[in-house]
Each structure stands twice: as C-alpha cells, then as structure tokens.
Amino acid sequence: MALAEYGKLFIGGQWVAPLDGEIVETIDPSTGKPWARVAFGGIKDMDRAVAAAREAFEGPWRRMPGYERAVLLRRFADLYEQRAAEMAVLESRDTGRPIRETRPDLGAHHRWYHWFASLADKLDGRTIPMEPAVHAYTERRPVGVVGAITPWNAPMLTTAWKVGPALAAGCTVVLKPAEHTPVTAYELAAIAEAAGLPPGVLNVVPGYGHTVGAHLVAHPGVDKIGFTGEGRTAQDILRAGAATLKRFSFELGGKSPHIIFEDADIEQALNAATSSAWVVCGQSCALGSRVLVQRSIYDRVVEEFRRRAARVRVGMPLDETTHMGPQAHGEQLAKTLSYVAIGQAEGAELVTGGKRIETGEFGAGFFVQPTVFAGVDNRMRIAREEIFGPVAALIPFEDEDEAVAIANDTRYGLTAGLWSRDSARAHRVAARIDAGMVWVNTYRYIRWSTPYGGMKASGWGRENGVEALDSYLDTRTTIVSTSGQFPDIYAQ
Ligand code: NAD
C-alpha cells in the first residue's frame, strides 16, 4: 500500500518544504512497517516558524479583541469536530491505540477548544482599592510566542491542552509534536488554515527532540515552553531554556496510587482499576499503575485481575473489537519487557502476562500481554519507576494510614484514585494524598474544565480549567495617581 504523504511543514500560514530538515518515514507500531512519509523541520525551519509566530503575535493576534479570537477558535473547534473521525484513524495508525479508544477521545477534543474559546474574552483583571487618590488595576496580557512540545502517547489531546489556552490567551504557537507520532499535527495545521486563523498564529514543525525541539527551547524569540513528556527531558529543557529565562509549564510522568478499601463497591473498583491499568496500552501518565488493595480483599482482587486480563482482546488498532493495541514504538516495548524482568528479579509474583506477543499477524508489531504483578512492595522499582506499559503492580495494605503512606511514598504526584463507600473516609484520605488530581469512586475522569497537573516531580502548572490560562498570561499592574501630585523629597 502507498505511504500517506505529509511532505510539507506549516509555517506562517504556508505549506513549505523543509529548508534544512528531511523527509522521514513514520512507523505503524502494529506492523513495524512505515505507513507515512512526513516532513521533519531543521534548525532553519524552526527559525522561520518562530519568526512567523512572532510576526503574528505582534501583528494581528494580540491586538484582536478576545471575542474575535473566540469566533476563530470556535470555527476551528467546529472543523475539528467534523474531521475527528478521520483523525482518530490516523492517530490509531500512528500510535497503535485501538480505534475504540481514539474515536471517543478525538471525538471530544473540540470541547476543549470550545471551552478555551469561551474564555478568550474573559481575561479580565482586578481593581485594587488603595488611597482615594490612587487608582490601581491589573490587566492580563499574553506572554508571547509559545513553543508547544508534545509526547507520543496521546498526541492530539496533549496538543489541545496547550494550543487551546495559548490561542485563547492571545499567544501564538509553534507546535513540535513527538517524532514517533507527527501525523495528526499536520491535520491540525490544515484545520487551522481552513478555520482562517491568521498566518503564523499556529505553526507546525515536527522533528527530533534533541535537535529542533532543543532549538525551540533555547530560541530567544520564544517566550514560553508548554511541555508534556518525561521528567528527564524537562530537566534538559530547563537547562536549555535557562539562558533566556523563558516561562515553562510541565506535565510529566506519574506512578499513581489507585486505592481500593475493603468497604468499596468492589465490582466498580475492579472495572476502574483494570481499565486504568491497561487502557492506552498502559501508556498514559494518569494510569493507576500502583493498585493499593486492603489486605482482607487482596486475594480476591488479584484473582479478578488475572481473570480480567484474559478477557482483554489484544489486536490490530483499526479492528473495532480490539481492546488493546501495540506499544507505540519498539523502544517502549523493550522498556516494558525490561520492567517485567526487573519485577521478577525483585521477587514480585508475575500473576499473568509479561510476554511479547509474536504469533501470526502480531509478529512484526510491538504487542505485549496485559500484565499483573502481585506481592509488590512499594520499594521495588516496578512500584517506583514509570513503566508506561500495561503493567499493574498490586500492593497490599492494612489500614488507612498505611494506604496514605504508600500512596505518598513516591517522587510523583500527578493523579490518585480511591474507592470506599464511607464518604467520611473518602474525603479524609483524598485530603491526605499529594497529587494534583484525586478521583473518588471513579478514575481517569478528565475534562476541559477541571484543572489537571502534577505536584512534586509530576510537573509545574495546570492544564485545563480556567487555571490553564494562567501560564499563558502575564499580569501587568497599572497604578494611576488621580491627584498627579509627587513630593519633592529634596526640597528641605
Ligand atoms: P519525551 O520527553 O521523550 O518526549 C516528549 C517531547 O519532547 C517529544 O516531542 C520529544 O521530541 C521532545 N524532546 C525530547 N528531547 C527534547 C529536548 N532535549 N528538547 C526539547 N524537546 C525534546 O516523552 P515521551 O516519551 O514522548 O512521553 C512519555 C512521557 O510523557 C511519560 O513520562 C509520560 O508520563 C509523560 N506524559 C505526561 C502527561 C501529563 O499530562 N502529565 C501526559 C502524557 C504523557
């Protein structure tokens, strides 16, 4: 089959061939074979994109009234909705996520853009009461040109979380998607073009992180980096961005505790805990990868995980019946398998799974079985390090205090979940967990209007919610003396 062609970058409202980039092939992780040819930008391309974003920022975009930016963003959202089904197929091919995940996922992204559009004309400041002869007020101004750097696990969702608030705030954007999954970003550029966003407001330059990504970060023409990805990359970004003292927001990894108390509705808790262990093939920062289970129900929960793992239909991403596709690329598959070996060497009990699936049509793809470890101690590496594969680590606990202690004994603090029918306990425990998002009797409920982001090593700043705008806006305070009088301190 002919490869899909995405041979141009989108810079300054034009589709342009790379100046010093290259054309590369992107791999379908279910076959291990190329499925599209895509343009990657080089350093000169990134320079062009930053210049275009700067011109658009200084020109039409920051001066446009918020209600007019909102009209354009709504048009963008409507076009996104119309293209969502098609984009879901592309995202499934690029990431390997099954179509039954990507269809509802991409089918909801327009709501993010609508939500941010609705905020574009509400960026009001405050008046601050002072002495009678002083009028003090604040205004919120866009920070400028934003470099948006996204990961490969959920490319379009993590993009919406940056592009939506940035454009609503009046910033312009250079988007650099992950090298493994660039395809939907070109489609996003086409939507921006069709929606009539002024040239340069959104630029799309895929490419390698360590070259064009790093260049974007260090670029003096960029005012802010919005990043989702690995903590180690965030540290590199901080170092590279230090010289220009730009602003940063980081959405980094997680090792989220998902706590099941003995008084929970166990069926519902199991539905959530098994889904949040294996959905996105385990490649989501929010997954409940540490399942903390009260000792009295531990054996039952382990047995249910084993039973339910056997029901997971691993298959081709575009097959409507597939529950779980391949890992998104070969390095991630190798990483997941290495952690299975680490867990076994550490003495955890491999209850089920843990093997690459290589039979028949799975042969060349990056498939792995849904995996469950029992008897996990929170000191083990499989409980401490982010695996990013479909590997659940089941950790027993005795009581509330121990559950909280284990939950918080991690460098991460992104999300957490807990299941209990006792509402007092639910609130009590939720309040003690160090995580940016805590779900009670549900899991992975994420919406445009609910702030999302990490404590501790899981990140800086919040995406979604009205809080998302904060990291794309600067506050300017103006103080006016209505008397116009200023004392001469040297008069006597
Ligand atoms: P990654 O850090 O390897 O790459 C992320 C992006 O950074 C890619 O676009 C990559 O090209 C770019 N990049 C790499 N090196 C760079 C550099 N030196 N300078 C500038 N850009 C650079 O992460 P990944 O493997 O793509 O994504 C997986 C990670 O993302 C996991 O840790 C996961 O938990 C995290 N994640 C977090 C969230 C969240 O919301 N908190 C969501 C999704 C993924």
Side-chain angles (χ1 to χ4, degrees), residues 276-323:
S276 85
W278 302 318
V279 76
V280 202
C281 203
Q283 303 164 141
S284 162
C285 51
L287 295 191
S289 47
R290 289 188 298 148
V291 187
L292 277 48
V293 186
Q294 197 149 20
R295 182 83 66 183
S296 55
I297 55 167
Y298 187 76
D299 290 346
R300 176 177 165 198
V301 168
V302 170
E303 196 41 46
E304 271 298 306
F305 261 77
R306 182 207 308 273
R307 192 179 71 78
R308 291 174 184 229
R311 292 190 322 190
V312 176
R313 286 190 299 268
V314 180
M316 290 297 149
L318 295 182
D319 181 337
E320 296 283 345
T321 63
T322 293
H323 289 137

Side-chain angles (χ1 to χ4, degrees), residues 477-491:
T477 307
T478 303
I479 297 183
V480 181
S481 164
T482 53
S483 74
Q485 301 298 305
F486 201 94
D488 179 355
I489 60 170
Y490 307 112

Side-chain angles (χ1 to χ4, degrees), residues 54-113:
R54 172 62 54 194
E55 199 180 325
F57 177 68
E58 301 297 350
W61 199 242
R62 71 182 308 182
R63 300 212 189 103
M64 190 181 281
Y67 57 83
E68 286 183 18
R69 281 202 310 278
V71 169
L72 287 170
L73 272 173
R74 286 196 192 99
R75 198 181 298 156
F76 177 89
D78 286 339
L79 290 171
Y80 195 113
E81 185 180 13
Q82 286 167 25
R83 300 288 309 282
E86 207 181 315
M87 302 229 310
V89 172
L90 300 175
E91 189 148 303
S92 279
R93 293 210 67 186
D94 229 11
T95 65
R97 285 178 68 196
I99 191 73
R100 57 195 274 167
E101 272 180 20
T102 54
R103 194 179 288 134
D105 180 359
L106 276 86
H109 293 177
H110 65 282
R111 297 188 197 284
W112 265 269
Y113 290 107

